[in-house]
Amino acid sequence: MGERLPTWFISHGGGPWPWIPEMRAMFANLEAALKGIAAAVGKPRAVLCISGHWENEAFAVMHAARPPMVYDYYGFPPHTYEIVYPAPGAPELAERTAALIEGAGLSARLDDEQGFDHGTFVPLAVMYPEADVPVFQVSIRRDYDPAAHVALGRALAPLREEGVLILGSGLSYHNLRLMGPEARAPSSAFDAWLTQALALPPAERLEAVLNWEKAPAARIAHPREDHLVPLFVALGAAEHEPAIRDYHEEGLFGGVTASNFRFG
């Protein structure tokens, strides 16, 4: 068994921002934070990304040796639909991961078709620009059930001692219909609650997260919680370890507050 790696929940930004100069400038602090994760971890055996952009009825594990690209964004310049992040997949680790999930009493399947969505290839291109670390994904479940995704994280926890970096990739605020100055109050309120909740002792923290809909501005910050669900997994994989907010920014897109959290 090796050193136990931390897990992270990251706010992955907007669309293919590293390839658009004006957007990259807006996300300069996020870029620095992502590079800081890579510096802290070094090159892991693999990165396992749980992205808010891949949903299934049951958990699925990316199994391709050479995953294709998924351009799951709209209205961006033509060159952003030609991006290739050529990191290898991790089929053997995918099989190990599916076995861990099933061993926890959760349904899982291997998926040989799924490619890297932008919740994965965008942060990874910043963290490991040489694409020399194997990358694979586990889908979130379409029911968004908090307890099931915490349980997924618990099932994945042994991978942390096997050199696998577990990265929950979403956004701490994700309401595309309420951006700009109108997002300032709800995103700030929810982010403040989230920061306080994750600082609680483990049992209280878990209860707060499982009941996240009671948080201030919860359903304004997350009309659909697809971009919050990856946090449940990152937390479950480090359930009894402290959380540290290692990126925080106010005023993105003219008003959005967003944060990243490290567990362990």
Side-chain angles (χ1 to χ4, degrees):
M1 304 296 276
E3 176 187 359
R4 180 185 297 166
L5 294 179
T7 72
W8 265 270
F9 170 72
I10 61 167
S11 293
H12 61 232
W17 61 265
W19 292 270
I20 302 173
E22 57 271 29
M23 290 190 75
R24 189 164 188 166
M26 178 174 64
F27 287 111
N29 292 334
L30 176 59
E31 181 170 355
L34 293 172
K35 289 179 176 177
I37 296 173
V41 171
K43 286 187 180 178
R45 178 184 176 193
V47 176
L48 169 53
C49 190
I50 299 91
S51 166
H53 289 279
W54 186 26
E55 300 181 12
N56 273 283
E57 292 302 322
F59 296 122
V61 185
M62 181 186 290
H63 190 235
R66 289 287 172 183
M69 303 295 293
V70 177
Y71 306 112
D72 53 343
Y73 40 73
Y74 305 93
F76 289 95
H79 74 273
T80 64
Y81 298 89
E82 299 175 358
I83 295 164
V84 175
Y85 185 67
E92 291 184 3
L93 275 171
E95 292 164 14
R96 160 84 170 136
T97 299
L100 287 171
I101 297 170
E102 291 180 332
L106 301 166
S107 179
R109 65 175 178 86
L110 296 172
D111 188 312
D112 290 294
E113 306 297 327
Q114 179 68 25
F116 297 142
D117 64 62
H118 84 268
T120 296
F121 74 77
V122 165
L124 267 296
V126 173
M127 293 169 62
Y128 299 106
E130 300 300 317
D132 54 357
V133 176
V135 178
F136 68 115
Q137 296 184 223
V138 173
S139 71
I140 61 173
R141 225 168 64 179
R142 196 162 282 128
D143 62 6
Y144 304 147
D145 179 51
H149 289 88
V150 170
L152 172 63
R154 292 182 186 125
L156 301 177
L159 296 173
R160 298 174 56 201
E161 296 181 1
E162 300 173 20
V164 178
L165 172 62
I166 297 173
L167 196 67
S169 179
L171 280 164
S172 57
Y173 175 88
H174 195 249
N175 185 340
L176 298 180
R177 295 186 177 184
L178 193 70
M179 302 295 280
E182 293 183 340
R184 191 177 308 277
S187 67
S188 178
F190 185 78
D191 195 275
W193 171 85
L194 186 60
T195 301
Q196 293 170 2
L198 295 180
L200 293 170
E204 296 174 44
R205 177 174 70 181
L206 179 61
E207 182 178 2
V209 168
L210 291 177
N211 293 284
W212 71 273
E213 289 179 271
K214 297 179 181 179
R219 276 299 176 190
I220 301 175
H222 293 280
R224 291 177 66 244
E225 59 267 40
D226 51 336
H227 277 56
L228 183 65
V229 166
L231 180 141
F232 306 153
V233 185
L235 170 61
E239 186 173 3
H240 301 290
E241 296 172 59
I244 299 168
R245 187 176 72 181
D246 61 358
Y247 162 75
H248 177 75
E249 191 151 13
E250 301 174 4
L252 292 172
F253 300 108
V256 171
T257 296
S259 295
N260 294 355
F261 296 90
R262 166 181 169 159
F263 299 90

